[in-house]
């Protein structure tokens, strides 16, 4: 059976608008904030060019508002293979995957930063992030509001910095997702975080979206409907080591993929989240993750291991094994224009003979740095459960435009 879903009018209109808006930004500088431009010889009295930004600021710097816009147009071809006889189902999907408006800056003082992120998909207007971040000292900050809980460096990254087209299954199963909360940290979410990073927060335990961190409901659904508490505190902590100013917000080594060899850099992060009163069949009890990232001269390697438990009874101290997961990705950036990458993800519940596998290979082209890029990948999601299997083969492609 074939199915084609296309929104040509909306896609063309928004695409043309973004192209017009992105043109002056690209002309000024194709390198967005946080990227590193190739070194060039400049005149002794000539100041280096600054990245183009759409912002409004007061002369004294106490107030600043920066505007951002990111859109991803998506194409996916999928075949569902349940036997060797051939696909039982296939479909083609063409749509805008994401359209995000970002407002960020500082107010009252340079020490108080804020961010607002809105989703403008047709018929799906949504507030994603809204938080304030106050810096007591460069190494101690307080963040409050709604944002991704600081569980794993991998999930903290933006969708616009992915090596492949979309998130792997470990993100959907283990998370993390956005919640309302408060946290102390030292700048863990910066593109180049401090050599030693840390974060500790208390959150409501209730995801504002159902896209990520929903593995408990997928692998261990409740036998009957259970009433969820409006708030059940979740403690989240993370520590990490970042060597030689590594860019941890991107998986690939775009900053090192230049003619002169980039230095060896690495990062190691340990995260944990503990829901003190999880809803049965919906929430994990305890989650833990250990991650590693290495970059050198355009090459990158990422590794991540996950473990989650299910709370057994009313006491938070009683936990039983839930699921384990593994993620590995690698890539090479050529001349800061092309990236070849691959990944493998694995998830297994610990109470039965079942597993999910996701191998993928991808190609990315940086047309105007990270502002305008095209990515395509080929892969499959292979599910095995008690001797039965199902393979979902996919070819995915997207074009991303950002201001």
């Amino acid at each position: 059976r074939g199915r084609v879903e296309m929104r040509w009018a909306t896609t063309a209109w928004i695409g043309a608008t973004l192209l017009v808006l992105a043109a002056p930004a690209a002309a000024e500088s194709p390198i967005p904030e946080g990227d590193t431009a190739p070194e060039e010889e400049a005149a002794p009295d000539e100041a280096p060019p600054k990245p183009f930004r759409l912002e409004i600021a007061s002369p004294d710097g106490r107030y600043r508002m920066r505007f951002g816009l990111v859109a991803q147009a998506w194409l996916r071809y999928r075949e569902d293979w349940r036997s060797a006889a051939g696909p039982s189902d296939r479909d083609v999907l063409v749509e805008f995957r994401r359209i995000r408006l970002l407002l960020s800056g500082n107010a009252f003082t340079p020490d108080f930063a804020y961010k607002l992120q809105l989703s403008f998909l047709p018929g799906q207007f949504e507030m994603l992030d809204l938080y304030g971040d106050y810096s007591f000292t460069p190494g101690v900050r307080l963040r409050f509001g709604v944002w991704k809980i600081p569980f794993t460096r991998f999930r903290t990254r933006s969708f616009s910095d992915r090596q492949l087209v979309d998130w792997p299954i470990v993100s959907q199963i283990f998370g993390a997702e956005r919640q309302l909360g408060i946290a102390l940290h030292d700048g863990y979410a910066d593109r180049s975080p401090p050599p030693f990073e840390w974060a500790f927060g208390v959150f409501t335990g209730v995801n504002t979206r159902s896209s990520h961190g929903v593995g408990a409901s997928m692998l261990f659904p409740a036998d009957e409907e259970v009433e969820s508490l409006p708030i059940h505190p979740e403690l989240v902590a993370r520590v990490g080591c970042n060597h030689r100013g590594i860019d941890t917000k991107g998986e690939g080594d775009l900053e090192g993929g230049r003619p002169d060899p980039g230095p060896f850099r690495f990062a190691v992060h340990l995260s944990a989240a503990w829901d003190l009163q999880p809803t049965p069949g919906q929430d994990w009890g305890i989650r833990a993750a250990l991650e590693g990232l290495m970059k050198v001269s355009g090459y990158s390697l990422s590794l991540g291991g996950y473990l989650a438990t299910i709370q057994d009874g009313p006491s938070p101290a009683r936990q039983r094994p839930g699921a384990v997961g593994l993620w590995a990705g690698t890539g090479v950036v050529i001349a800061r224009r092309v990236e070849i990458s691959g990944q493998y993800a694995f998830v297994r519940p610990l109470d039965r003979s079942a597993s999910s596998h996701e191998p993928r290979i991808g190609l990315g082209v940086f047309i105007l740095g990270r502002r305008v890029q095209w990515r395509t990948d080929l892969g499959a999601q292979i599910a095995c459960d008690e001797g039965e299997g199902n393979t979902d083969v996919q070819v995915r492609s997207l074009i991303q435009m950002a201001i």
Side-chain angles (χ1 to χ4, degrees):
R1 186 182 68 218
R3 182 176 79 250
V4 180
E5 299 180 20
M6 298 184 180
R7 303 182 178 95
W8 293 110
T10 303
T11 300
W13 181 83
I14 298 178
T17 302
L18 286 172
L19 197 57
V20 170
L21 291 174
E28 290 283 347
S29 172
I31 309 297
E33 181 184 9
D35 289 356
T36 304
E39 295 180 1
E40 298 179 357
E41 293 187 5
D45 298 329
E46 181 182 352
K50 296 182 179 180
F52 178 85
R53 297 191 182 108
L54 296 175
E55 68 177 23
I56 302 173
S58 62
D60 59 4
R62 294 174 57 194
Y63 295 88
R64 187 181 308 273
M65 178 177 289
R66 184 175 301 139
F67 301 86
L69 184 64
V70 183
Q72 290 183 341
W74 158 293
L75 181 147
R76 185 199 68 192
Y77 174 75
R78 183 186 69 88
E79 289 187 353
D80 187 7
W81 289 70
R82 298 183 180 274
S83 69
S88 58
D89 187 21
R90 59 169 59 93
D91 64 71
V92 177
L93 178 66
V94 179
E95 65 175 2
F96 262 95
R97 181 71 169 179
R98 297 176 178 94
I99 303 174
R100 303 282 175 84
L101 173 66
L102 299 94
L103 301 177
S104 61
N106 57 270
F108 310 112
T109 169
D111 294 327
F112 180 70
Y114 63 86
K115 179 180 177 182
L116 169 65
Q117 182 177 187
L118 303 171
S119 173
F120 278 92
L121 283 174
Q124 300 179 30
F125 177 78
E126 183 181 10
M127 187 196 77
L128 301 178
D129 298 308
L130 178 60
Y131 62 81
D133 197 295
Y134 185 78
S135 177
F136 296 101
T137 70
V140 179
R141 307 182 195 176
L142 178 67
R143 179 174 293 192
F144 54 92
V146 177
W147 78 99
K148 293 179 186 176
I149 65 174
F151 179 74
T152 75
R153 163 62 63 183
F154 179 68
R155 178 61 183 144
T156 302
R157 298 186 179 111
S158 168
F159 64 90
S160 61
D161 288 327
R162 295 279 298 115
Q163 276 184 315
L164 299 182
V165 172
D166 211 355
W167 301 97
I169 54 175
V170 290
S171 179
Q172 183 182 26
I173 298 297
F174 299 101
E177 192 47 273
R178 294 168 171 86
Q179 294 185 22
L180 175 65
I182 186 170
L184 282 170
H185 67 97
D186 67 342
Y188 74 94
D190 296 346
R191 181 166 288 279
S192 294
F196 175 79
E197 68 171 70
W198 59 270
F200 176 78
V202 180
F203 297 82
T204 61
V206 180
N207 293 342
T208 60
R209 312 180 79 211
S210 58
S211 302
H212 300 268
V214 293
S217 62
M218 296 175 61
L219 301 177
F220 302 93
D223 296 330
E224 57 185 23
E225 186 175 352
V226 179
E227 184 178 355
S228 175
L229 296 175
I231 294 178
H232 40 96
E234 185 168 15
L235 309 179
V236 183
R238 184 167 102 194
V239 294
C241 174
N242 306 294
H243 179 61
R244 300 188 76 168
I246 184 172
D247 178 359
T248 58
K249 297 200 78 173
E251 299 161 32
D253 191 19
L254 181 59
E255 67 273 19
R258 57 178 65 180
D260 56 309
F264 175 74
R265 294 141 288 151
F266 71 86
V268 179
H269 303 99
L270 177 64
S271 306
W274 186 6
D275 194 325
L276 299 180
Q277 199 170 5
T279 301
Q282 293 185 20
D283 304 310
W284 293 117
I286 297 176
R287 289 174 285 171
L290 178 62
E291 306 166 282
L293 173 64
M294 294 177 286
K295 297 183 180 184
V296 59
S297 301
Y299 296 91
S300 61
L301 175 65
S302 303
L303 298 170
Y306 303 79
L307 173 65
T309 67
I310 298 290
Q311 183 169 311
D312 192 8
S315 173
R318 297 187 60 183
Q319 304 283 333
R320 60 183 174 88
V324 295
L326 172 68
W327 180 87
T330 186
V332 56
V333 176
I334 303 171
R336 306 193 79 227
R337 289 296 182 185
V338 176
E339 182 175 31
I340 302 172
S341 57
Q343 77 167 27
Y344 171 73
F346 165 80
V347 173
R348 181 187 176 190
L350 297 177
D351 67 336
R352 58 187 183 275
S353 178
S355 61
S356 296
H357 308 261
E358 185 181 10
R360 293 189 186 274
I361 57 174
L363 174 68
V365 178
F366 301 100
I367 302 170
L368 292 175
R370 284 193 176 97
R371 291 189 187 277
V372 181
Q373 56 179 295
W374 167 71
R375 292 194 176 275
T376 294
D377 64 38
L378 168 66
Q381 291 185 353
I382 306 167
C384 307
D385 193 351
E386 304 294 345
E388 298 183 358
N390 178 62
T391 301
D392 194 17
V393 180
Q394 299 176 352
V395 178
R396 308 180 301 185
S397 185
L398 70 80
I399 183 74
Q400 173 177 296
M401 293 175 285
I403 301 175

